[in-house]
Structure formats: structure tokens, C-alpha cells
Amino acid sequence: MEMTNPKPISSTYTVLEILDRTFRLYRDNFLAYAGLVAVVAVPLFLIGTVIDQYYADRIGSASFIAAQNEALTQYTLVLNVFRILSAILQGVIVGGLLAYMSSEYHLGRKVTVGEAFEVVRSRFVALGSAYILYYVALVALAVVSALTVVCLVGFVGFALLVYFAIAASAFIAPVIVLEDVGATDGIRRSWGLAKARFWPVCGLQLAVGVIAF
């Protein structure tokens, strides 16, 4: 379906213009986008609820503080691993398909979820590998930062952690899906793009986070 672009593709958009186009994009494709997100998010939510209930029962039925602490430690570990795996899965399926569909919309074309899947599915492995590498690096930086938080190095590490989290992840899905590159090349390319306009990217992610909250 052909549409009219309100602004040349090569133009640079401000944060407010990007937010405006994002709202219009979701408004014009609400059912398709909401359905895509629900197909992935609802099962993950149900699995997370089962995990929460299982460990709540274990912690509540524990007779000793040591057993409660052990169950709580296991719950924290399982929950964090599940959150990372959920983020990877949503990044690959939802992020990958939305990146392609949004790009087509920006070019004046409207595609269905099925059409996007046919194009993007061959890039799922590269996209998933990129997210795995990203989270491994992110967890490593977080551990180093936490271990050195008592000194200045810890605060520097935390700043680097935030910088890496934003710069490395901002464009992983669009780069790999639209440029059809491998995992490491995708991360390097994403890093380069986000680093060139770090503060606008940071502001955009902050604005989206506030709106979502």
C-alpha cells in the first residue's frame, strides 16, 4: 500500500518529530502492531507469573531463614535469566519485525506482519546472536561495576555501563534487519550510529521510558 511521505527520507528528525511519527505509525497500524506484541508478550507474562507464584510458595513454606534465603537467591537468579531471555526473544521477533515494518512505512509502503516475517525470518539468527553478545557484555560490565563500586572506578564503570547499554543496543534490530549484516558487524554499526548522535538517542529513549511508565 503506497503512502505519502510528509518529509524527505534523507532529512534529520528531531526527538519530538521522531516521537510524533512513532505515535502516528502505531496509530495507523495499531491492530497489527498490538497483535504482534501480544503474541510474544502474553505467553512470556504467563510464564513469569508461574515463576513468581512457584517461588512465592517455596519462600512462604520454608521453615528456616536459611531455606528462605536459598529460595530467594534461586528466585532472583531465575528471574534475571528469564528477563534477559525474554528481552532477547522480544528483541528478535517483535523488534525485528517492527524495524522492517516501520522502515517500509517510512518509505511509503505498508506491509503485514506475515509479509514482514517472510523477509526478516532469515535474519533472526544473526539478530539473536547480536542480542546474546550484547547482554553478555552488559552483564560483564555490570559485574565489574558492582565489584568496584566502593572506589572511583566503580562510578566510572557505571557510567560506561549506561553509555554501552544505550549506544550498543539502540540500533541493533534496525541495522541487522535492514542492512542484513552479521551479529558483530551489527553491534559495531549500531554503536557507530548511536555514538554519533548519543544525546538525541539518549533523550529519545528517556522520553519513551517516561511515556511507557
Side-chain angles (χ1 to χ4, degrees):
M1 178 178 176
E2 297 293 333
M3 298 177 295
T4 302
N5 279 314
K7 189 172 182 179
I9 296 172
S10 59
S11 299
T12 299
Y13 290 86
T14 66
V15 171
L16 291 179
E17 287 176 325
I18 293 173
L19 287 174
D20 175 66
R21 286 187 62 82
T22 299
F23 279 117
R24 287 195 286 114
L25 185 151
Y26 276 84
R27 180 198 63 197
D28 295 343
N29 303 275
F30 178 76
L31 291 179
Y33 286 14
L36 171 60
V37 172
V39 165
V40 179
V42 170
L44 291 176
F45 171 78
L46 294 176
I47 294 172
T49 301
V50 171
I51 293 174
D52 288 341
Q53 188 59 51
Y54 172 76
Y55 281 99
D57 292 340
R58 279 194 59 186
I59 294 171
S61 62
S63 303
F64 302 99
I65 294 180
Q68 290 179 341
N69 290 338
E70 180 182 357
L72 184 59
T73 300
Q74 290 180 2
Y75 170 65
T76 302
L77 177 61
V78 170
L79 184 62
N80 286 329
V81 170
F82 174 71
R83 285 174 174 172
I84 291 176
L85 292 177
S86 298
I88 292 173
L89 185 61
Q90 293 185 75
V92 171
I93 299 178
V94 178
L97 294 180
L98 287 184
Y100 180 78
M101 294 169 70
S102 301
S103 173
E104 291 296 293
Y105 179 89
H106 186 61
L107 295 172
R109 298 186 291 267
K110 195 172 184 177
V111 298
T112 65
V113 174
E115 291 170 338
F117 181 80
E118 287 300 315
V119 174
V120 177
R121 64 178 180 177
S122 62
R123 300 162 200 178
F124 281 164
V125 173
L127 189 53
S129 300
Y131 276 118
I132 290 172
L133 291 174
Y134 164 74
Y135 278 106
V136 167
L138 190 66
V139 170
L141 284 174
V143 170
V144 172
S145 178
L147 292 176
T148 58
V149 75
V150 294
C151 60
L152 180 61
V153 176
F155 295 103
V156 173
F158 178 75
L160 290 174
L161 177 66
V162 174
Y163 184 86
F164 175 81
I166 295 174
S169 67
F171 299 112
I172 286 179
V175 164
I176 292 180
V177 167
L178 302 180
E179 299 185 10
D180 196 13
V181 297
T184 54
D185 289 338
I187 293 177
R188 281 198 294 264
R189 174 74 168 145
S190 175
W191 176 273
L193 290 172
K195 187 172 63 173
R197 299 196 69 203
F198 177 77
W199 291 114
V201 171
C202 183
L204 179 62
Q205 293 200 355
L206 179 62
V208 171
V210 170
I211 293 170
F213 177 77

